[in-house]
Each structure stands twice: as C-alpha cells, then as structure tokens.
Amino acid sequence: MSQPTDKYAWVYRVDDLDFDELSALYLSARLGEMPADALATVFENSMFMCLVYAGEVLVGAGRALADGLDCAYIADVAVHPDHQRRGLGQAIIRRLIELCAGHEKIILYANPGTEGFYSSLGFLRMNTAMGIWGDRERAIESGILSGQRGDDRPSARAR
Ligand SMILES: CC(C)(COP(=O)(O)OP(=O)(O)OC[C@H]1O[C@@H](n2cnc3c(N)ncnc32)[C@H](O)[C@@H]1OP(=O)(O)O)[C@@H](O)C(=O)NCCC(=O)NCCS
C-alpha cells in the first residue's frame, strides 16, 4: 500500500547536500540559527543521515552519530512546517533507527514539548541522562537541562 511519505525522495548521503538549504530548513522549523559550515562538520562526521526532498526542495532532515556497535545518537531532526503532520517526522526517525540497527543503544534528547512524538516511536525516558552543554544557561532556560546537579536529588541530600 502506498504511504503518505512515498511522494518524497530519500537521500542517505551528504554528497550533494546544499548546507545553506539545510540551514534554512532548520531556521524554518524553529531549531534556531545553525550556520552552513557548522552543519557541514556535523553531517560529514555522522555515520547516518536522512535527507527528504519534495521535488528539488529539502523538506526534512535528521542524522545519527554512531560508533558502529554500541551507541548511536539521533540529532537535528526537522520537517519544514509546510510538510509537518503528514507522518514525515516519524518516517525519518524510523529510517534512522533502521540505519542504526545493530547498535546496543539509540539515544536522543527531545526538545521540550516533543517528548510525546518520541514516545510514540518507542523511546523511553532515561533516568540518569546527564550532559555538559556549551551554553548551559540557555539549555536550562529552554528546559533541556534541569539545572540540578546529579547529587542534588532529594534522596541523595537526605543521606
Ligand atoms: C517534531 C517534528 C520533527 C515532527 O515532524 P512531523 O512530520 O510533523 O511529525 P509526524 O507527522 O510524523 O507526526 C506524527 C505524530 O507525532 C506527534 N507529534 C508530531 N509533532 C509533535 C510535537 N511537536 N510534539 C508532540 N507530538 C508531536 C503527533 O501525535 C503526530 O500525530 P498527529 O498528526 O495525529 O497529531 C516536527 O514537528 C519539527 O520539525 N519540529 C521542529 C523541530 C523539532 O522540534 N525537532 C525535534 C528536535 S528534538
């Protein structure tokens, strides 16, 4: 049976990617300013990627940084607002999960408000996930980091 995502063309290589167009996609999806040269670095260093085109136009993207065996990290998933809510975002994640097959764990962090989207794809919350961000204050403000130290939990303080 044909799927709503069948009319899109899928590309899994960085070779012909226009990084300015990718940067514009992330801006339109409100993922913020991501300069083309920075995107070139992170995509070229990622083992897997999905680039989705409607005709000649890039309308969806995502990548996975992976070590080939143990851990794969999915990042920078976005769909152009004109193409959202058609199943494309789910299809990109499913395709990245398939590409990461064989890895012991596949991890990601959700932008606040998108947790439900990832739950429906089989992701569970990680109880002990912790991170160091370059711009810690902004990450706390946006809700990605909690601002608590790992040992600040009430159970640790009570000891
Ligand atoms: C999140 C995103 C990738 C989803 O793409 P999409 O193509 O719209 O998603 P789909 O059409 O595959 O969504 C299928 C289901 O996921 C859920 N879903 C989609 N977007 C969601 C969101 N932002 N929050 C919670 N659930 C969401 C819905 O249940 C949706 O089903 P519905 O249409 O019946 O409501 C897209 O909204 C996007 O690019 N957002 C901006 C960038 C971003 O936040 N990226 C994630 C970084 S962590």
Side-chain angles (χ1 to χ4, degrees), residues 4-11 21 25 51-61 79-80 82-84 86 88 92:
T5 50
D6 285 352
K7 63 177 182 157
Y8 296 100
W10 293 73
V11 174
E21 189 180 19
L25 170 66
L51 306 164
V52 185
Y53 291 84
E56 300 288 305
V57 182
L58 182 67
V59 297
V79 173
H80 189 282
D82 292 349
H83 294 262
Q84 288 179 7
R86 298 178 187 183
L88 200 48
I92 291 172

Side-chain angles (χ1 to χ4, degrees), residues 29 31 77-79 83-90 109-111 113-114 116-118:
L31 277 189
V77 174
V79 173
H83 294 262
Q84 288 179 7
R85 300 275 162 164
R86 298 178 187 183
L88 200 48
Q90 281 195 342
Y109 68 87
N111 266 349
T114 59
F117 171 73
Y118 292 109

Side-chain angles (χ1 to χ4, degrees), residues 4-61:
T5 50
D6 285 352
K7 63 177 182 157
Y8 296 100
W10 293 73
V11 174
Y12 305 101
R13 295 184 315 274
V14 80
D15 307 8
D16 299 321
L17 178 56
D18 177 342
F19 291 105
D20 287 312
E21 189 180 19
L22 184 62
S23 179
L25 170 66
Y26 287 133
L27 207 55
S28 72
R30 300 189 173 198
L31 277 189
E33 197 84 50
M34 298 164 85
D37 56 347
L39 288 172
T41 300
V42 298
F43 269 74
E44 283 164 3
N45 286 322
S46 294
M47 189 175 283
F48 307 115
M49 72 203 60
C50 276
L51 306 164
V52 185
Y53 291 84
E56 300 288 305
V57 182
L58 182 67
V59 297

